[in-house]
Amino acid sequence: MSNHIPLLPNKLYKITTTAGESLGDWFYFNETTESHIFHCAAVHGIEMKIKKEAMSGLEITN
């Protein structure tokens, strides 16, 4: 994650790739030993797990 902001449970974040492609608005849910888990703000029931090593390819803003 290139901006290194703290991720707080149930907080809404905008997620974009470092190439500028928007992934939309997501609620941060939880952290596991391998991943960060987000829930889609637009569609109930969609979950995105991002491997911790892949976070460097994302821009996360609030």
Side-chain angles (χ1 to χ4, degrees):
M1 188 169 63
S2 60
N3 46 353
H4 304 290
I5 63 172
L7 296 173
L8 304 173
N10 302 313
K11 184 167 172 75
L12 183 65
Y13 295 95
K14 292 188 179 302
I15 302 179
T16 311
T17 67
T18 52
E21 181 182 350
S22 175
L23 301 178
D25 295 335
W26 295 82
F27 288 101
Y28 182 68
F29 181 68
N30 198 5
E31 177 179 358
T32 67
T33 56
E34 298 177 354
S35 302
H36 290 282
I37 302 169
F38 293 84
H39 288 169
C40 183
V43 181
H44 179 72
I46 295 180
E47 182 177 272
M48 175 170 57
K49 292 181 182 177
I50 303 173
K51 297 275 187 190
K52 288 183 178 179
E53 60 267 14
M55 292 292 284
S56 62
L58 300 175
E59 294 281 339
I60 300 177
T61 57
N62 36 351

